Amino acid sequence: MDRILVAEKIAPEGLATLKAVAEVDVRLDLDKAALLDVITGYDALVVRSATKVTAEVIAAGSRLRVIGRAGSGVDNIDVDAATQRGIMVVNAPASNNVAVAELTIGLLISLARQIPQSHSSVEAGKWERSKFMGWEVRGKTLGLIGLGRIGSEVARRARGLEMQVLTYDPVVSFDRATQIGVESVNLEDLLARSDVVSVHVPLVESTRSLFDTNHLAMMKKGAYLINASRGGVVDEEALLAALEAGHLGGAALDVYSSEPPKNSALVNHPRIIKTPHLGASTNEAQAQTGTDVAEGVLAALAGNSPRYAVNAPFVAPEAWHVLEPYIRLGRQMAALCRHLVLEPVRSYEFEYCGELSGVDTQPVRLAILQGLLAETSEQRVTPVNAPLIARERGMRITERTCHEAENYQGLLVIRANTADEQRVFSGTVLRHDPHIIQADNYWVDFVPTGALLFTYHRDRPGMIGRVGMLLGAADVNISGMYVGRQAPRQRAMMVLTLDELPSDTVMEEIRAEPDIDRSYAMVL
Ligand code: NAD
């Protein structure tokens, strides 16, 4: 019988699932030394977020086959060390969905009917019926930023309340949105059309302070904002200013940039409704977390595929030599596509040509999915869980192989089909180095290492010099430069490889240059 060590408290439902088939020891008292001492006798370890499952613990666990994390983040587990030892890491990222969605609906109705404010008023001995005139959510437009696990659950419930639901989520497909009765639009449209905007994105680089002065100003006058995702997504000073200026009708917050919140002017504002990070706080969500992690651990022990596996699959050594640079290339091309294609993508096409047509390209496909989805989730996106996340987001993908690879030994192509156009990225491998040879339809040729700067601009004399001067003045060193253009003096793309990323100020100066439409800096 397998032996499982449960080192942190999980719900009784989860424990019962484990105990039904394995010998389970619950030891909540283990410090680092004690854990190192006992781990050697166990096939599985279950933790929450407090236990540090370091490389040392993993090395000491000579029998370990799986580590279960009751929750979503795996920052406390050395996943690479586990992967190297062939130990599967499983988690429970979906157990809170309904709890957070229901709280969001509660906040929505509370905003519409001022329930918390009127409750306080009655409590204070008042009877202010005309002060608390409300509005009905039926027929109103709800804009969801992020249509992932929680956003989708909110959408279903809002449809039940007869709301019109819009979403902005660059990754989720139109089909998936349509399936749940949601219209997929650009961010600007969503902000301009929504009576209420609710945010359900992870806190990553692209979403930090997503609701800044600029985006708040783009919301309809009198509209409402709900944030039950992560505090850093909303700039709290900018929100307070928008409320004080009367631009927003109100806001509801479950999460704050620091918790408990420090911005008392914001939390005490009469048109703010606030809860103390209660999204996941339901008995059912806690029970589901325990059950999900227990099922994952048992599936891994039985040699089956757990639903929520976190770490990487195995690639046969003989295929590794050909595939390895293409795996890197696929991940980098996909990450570039994610950075440059900001419009919702209806479908993707992946094409594997030349030397790639003779090998099992599954690892390259997984790397592409990982690149497309990385930083669109707080969950660590790996080749193991990327297909599941892609399925959850309804991504439509077609694949084909072809023997011909133009003049290259191998060619990898990603096509992203948006509502209006096809955006193409191609790459090859030369002397074992990935080369990106087509970026967003422009022919270029660069090795995607280090910091990269892309500009979309109008081709005319002096453009390269001007960007070079701005970078030079900020002491940013350029190591390579490539330009692709549609035709002389037409639209063009410049790619610069840099020794370091330019600051936000330098990027703003570059974007302010006449004839530069857009510019992005990134490390792939
Ligand atoms: P998810 O990964 O399933 O979905 C996130 C979605 O956001 C994805 O579809 C992704 O494509 C989209 N996205 C990423 N970047 C975007 C951007 N820049 N613009 C628009 N869309 C973008 O995550 P989830 O499980 O639905 O969780 C959503 C949020 O809720 C997370 O921030 C999570 O931490 C938070 N959360 C809060 C509580 C709480 O107690 N309030 C509990 C659980 C989760």
Side-chain angles (χ1 to χ4, degrees):
M1 203 184 224
D2 287 320
R3 296 190 68 217
I4 302 176
L5 172 63
V6 177
E8 285 180 73
K9 198 165 182 241
I10 64 165
E13 289 82 350
L15 273 184
T17 306
L18 293 175
K19 282 181 178 164
V21 287
E23 191 184 319
V24 180
D25 290 334
V26 180
R27 300 278 308 270
L28 309 181
D29 56 332
L30 299 173
D31 60 12
K32 189 180 166 200
L35 177 62
L36 277 171
D37 200 33
V38 301
I39 192 67
T40 171
Y42 292 97
D43 304 278
L45 169 65
V46 177
V47 297
R48 293 177 73 99
S49 57
T51 309
K52 302 278 173 268
V53 188
T54 58
E56 202 185 350
V57 172
I58 288 165
S62 47
R63 266 173 70 168
L64 271 186
R65 277 142 58 211
V66 54
I67 299 165
R69 156 77 167 101
S72 61
V74 287
D75 298 349
N76 55 319
I77 300 170
D78 189 333
V79 177
D80 292 334
T83 306
Q84 275 167 18
R85 291 182 173 262
I87 298 169
M88 200 167 272
V89 179
V90 299
N91 64 349
S95 32
N96 297 330
N97 302 352
V98 170
V100 183
E102 289 188 0
L103 179 73
T104 305
I105 298 295
L107 294 173
L108 169 73
I109 306 273
S110 297
L111 282 172
R113 306 304 293 272
Q114 302 180 68
I115 297 172
Q117 292 94 332
S118 53
H119 171 91
S120 303
S121 159
V122 176
E123 211 167 40
K126 298 181 193 158
W127 194 253
E128 304 175 295
R129 296 191 63 228
S130 56
K131 180 175 173 191
F132 295 115
M133 183 59 71
W135 46 272
E136 292 178 9
V137 299
R138 179 179 61 167
K140 299 292 186 304
T141 300
L142 174 67
L144 298 174
I145 312 281
L147 194 68
R149 285 181 291 257
I150 294 171
S152 309
E153 295 293 344
V154 175
R156 287 196 190 92
R157 283 155 182 78
R159 295 286 298 144
L161 293 170
E162 300 180 52
M163 297 188 83
Q164 193 195 347
V165 186
L166 309 177
T167 187
Y168 168 66
D169 188 320
V171 177
V172 168
S173 72
F174 275 58
D175 286 357
R176 162 96 179 137
T178 310
Q179 235 174 38
I180 41 183
V182 175
E183 185 188 345
S184 181
V185 296
N186 287 333
L187 181 58
E188 293 74 14
D189 287 348
L190 182 140
L191 296 176
R193 287 172 55 192
S194 300
D195 300 299
V196 183
V197 175
S198 188
V199 196
H200 301 284
V201 295
L203 180 61
V204 290
E205 212 35 54
S206 67
T207 60
R208 193 173 289 283
S209 293
L210 180 65
F211 279 83
D212 56 5
T213 309
N214 185 24
H215 281 143
L216 288 167
M218 287 162 78
M219 288 174 67
K220 242 184 186 178
K221 185 163 168 49
Y224 293 78
L225 179 68
I226 303 175
N227 185 14
S229 65
R230 294 290 298 271
V233 173
V234 174
D235 177 337
E236 293 175 352
E237 286 302 327
L239 174 61
L240 179 61
L243 285 166
E244 282 175 345
H247 181 63
L248 289 194
L253 304 175
D254 183 47
V255 288
Y256 309 85
S257 57
S258 60
E259 296 183 358
K262 294 205 177 78
N263 191 334
S264 55
L266 179 69
V267 288
N268 295 330
H269 192 281
R271 280 181 286 118
I272 283 277
I273 289 173
K274 55 267 173 180
T275 46
H277 203 145
L278 289 184
S281 301
T282 64
N283 297 330
E284 291 85 347
Q286 296 312 309
Q288 191 66 48
T289 304
T291 309
D292 283 356
V293 74
E295 285 174 353
V297 165
L298 295 183
L301 285 176
N304 299 326
S305 298
R307 180 136 187 240
Y308 303 112
V310 176
N311 52 348
F314 176 76
V315 178
E318 53 286 3
W320 184 250
H321 186 69
V322 179
L323 285 175
E324 192 275 333
Y326 285 101
I327 292 173
R328 273 187 288 149
L329 174 67
R331 195 179 300 119
Q332 289 173 319
M333 281 170 51
L336 183 61
C337 174
R338 166 168 55 79
H339 279 288
L340 298 184
V341 180
L342 298 176
E343 296 76 15
V345 175
R346 287 175 180 241
S347 62
Y348 293 94
E349 297 166 29
F350 305 160
E351 200 170 286
Y352 313 96
C353 305
E355 62 180 335
L356 277 175
S357 65
V359 288
D360 176 4
T361 50
Q362 177 77 343
V364 182
R365 172 180 193 271
L366 296 179
I368 296 175
L369 289 179
Q370 186 187 12
L372 290 175
L373 292 165
E375 302 227 343
T376 68
S377 173
E378 267 161 21
Q379 205 180 334
R380 186 184 150 115
V381 181
T382 69
V384 170
N385 60 13
L388 174 77
I389 300 174
R391 233 185 350 267
E392 281 175 353
R393 295 188 186 166
M395 286 170 75
R396 283 185 56 183
I397 294 157
T398 51
E399 291 177 286
R400 74 182 201 108
T401 50
C402 53
H403 292 294
E404 292 304 316
E406 300 174 19
N407 294 326
Y408 303 102
Q409 194 155 353
L411 186 68
L412 180 63
V413 185
I414 300 176
R415 298 191 183 88
N417 299 310
T418 69
D420 304 319
E421 54 186 346
Q422 184 169 72
R423 318 269 290 264
V424 187
F425 299 77
S426 312
T428 189
V429 170
L430 295 173
R431 292 177 295 279
H432 222 64
D433 274 336
H435 281 239
I436 294 183
I437 55 173
Q438 192 182 17
D440 204 4
N441 301 351
Y442 291 95
W443 292 104
V444 284
D445 185 346
F446 64 96
V447 177
T449 51
L452 297 165
L453 185 138
F454 292 79
T455 65
Y456 291 78
H457 62 273
R458 193 167 68 81
D459 177 40
R460 63 180 184 78
M463 286 306 291
I464 297 166
R466 296 237 299 281
V467 174
M469 292 264 292
L470 289 172
L471 291 170
D475 198 28
V476 177
N477 201 31
I478 301 174
S479 56
M481 196 275 296
Y482 316 85
V483 178
R485 58 184 187 175
Q486 288 170 352
R489 312 253 172 180
Q490 300 291 313
R491 311 280 5 129
M493 171 184 275
M494 178 178 2
V495 184
L496 299 179
T497 51
L498 307 172
D499 286 349
E500 54 267 307
L501 273 177
S503 67
D504 290 347
T505 319
V506 176
M507 290 308 296
E508 272 165 33
E509 286 168 0
I510 293 174
R511 289 187 188 115
E513 280 291 321
D515 291 325
I516 291 189
D517 301 332
R518 288 182 283 150
S519 182
Y520 304 98
M522 67 197 74
V523 175
L524 293 181

